[in-house]
Amino acid sequence: MVLCSAVAEDASAIAEFYARNDEHFKAYLPPLPDNSHTLEFWAERIEKERQLAQEGSVYRFWAYLLDGVGPVGMVVVRSVNKYPNSSCEIGYGFDQRYCGAGLASEATAALVEFCFDSLHMHRVEACYMPRNTVSARVLAKLGFEVEGVLRGLMHLNGVWEDHAIASKINPNWKELPSA
């Protein structure tokens, strides 16, 4: 698997990815706008996310299998807080056809490494609904520790959903020299 940022030419494949997984994601993610299955929506969103990455606030990477199949999933870093917090939040979503194949663990491990090594984060957080045992296993496998439950964090499908919050601390973090 390889992780890469999206470019304009990826808009069609990304639109298909979300259309194919609409029901799969509905239980865990906020709904996308009605036009989210269009090339125009994804072309605009890809450009916006490119700008956010340049600003250092959001980084989204798409997972492609080495045989060219893809995208099969995505991982994202958001809520990037620079020093003195040096923390961020991560999320991920993978094609239902590949659930259980270890791709989410592999991609998320690479994302955490990016957060620690490239973004110089001290703390990485992830939230998931407690009933989402797949996400709980992915994060536990990567050494995340559950810190508690955020009650009524997100409104999904007409219900306020609780979310567990888990974090991983960078064991090799060192303060950067002052500029």
Side-chain angles (χ1 to χ4, degrees):
M1 177 177 38
V2 63
L3 297 175
C4 56
S5 299
V7 295
E9 293 78 21
D10 296 325
S12 176
I14 292 170
E16 290 173 20
F17 169 82
Y18 276 103
R20 185 173 56 250
N21 289 284
D22 192 47
E23 284 300 314
H24 174 60
F25 291 147
K26 192 178 285 186
Y28 303 108
L29 298 175
L32 290 169
D34 289 339
N35 66 338
S36 66
H37 300 310
T38 67
L39 292 177
E40 295 79 17
F41 174 85
W42 285 106
E44 288 175 19
R45 186 149 177 186
I46 288 167
E47 176 56 25
K48 176 67 175 169
E49 288 183 351
R50 186 189 65 73
Q51 293 170 5
L52 293 171
Q54 287 181 335
E55 295 168 8
S57 61
V58 175
Y59 303 88
R60 185 179 307 271
F61 302 100
W62 290 90
Y64 288 82
L65 298 181
L66 294 178
D67 63 7
V69 173
V72 295
M74 67 83 196
V75 291
V76 61
V77 180
R78 58 184 167 258
S79 302
V80 176
N81 296 301
K82 303 292 185 186
Y83 187 81
N85 296 66
S86 299
S87 66
C88 62
E89 181 184 336
I90 62 167
Y92 44 86
F94 279 80
D95 193 309
Q96 61 189 348
R97 298 177 299 177
Y98 295 94
C99 285
L103 297 179
S105 295
E106 181 182 343
T108 304
L111 186 68
V112 170
E113 185 177 319
F114 170 77
C115 293
F116 286 169
D117 297 346
S118 297
L119 299 180
H120 195 64
M121 295 289 105
H122 173 255
R123 173 186 170 88
V124 175
E125 300 174 355
C127 289
Y128 62 93
M129 284 187 273
R131 63 184 159 83
N132 187 344
T133 58
V134 173
S135 278
R137 281 194 307 269
V138 166
L139 295 170
K141 180 178 180 180
L142 298 178
F144 279 72
E145 294 182 30
V146 176
E147 296 180 338
V149 174
L150 303 170
R151 296 179 308 128
L153 180 68
M154 191 178 297
H155 195 255
L156 295 172
N157 301 312
V159 177
W160 283 102
E161 295 280 0
D162 295 348
H163 281 67
I165 183 168
S167 70
K168 183 170 183 169
I169 302 297
N170 183 351
N172 301 313
W173 187 87
K174 292 185 175 91
E175 188 171 350
L176 290 172
S178 58

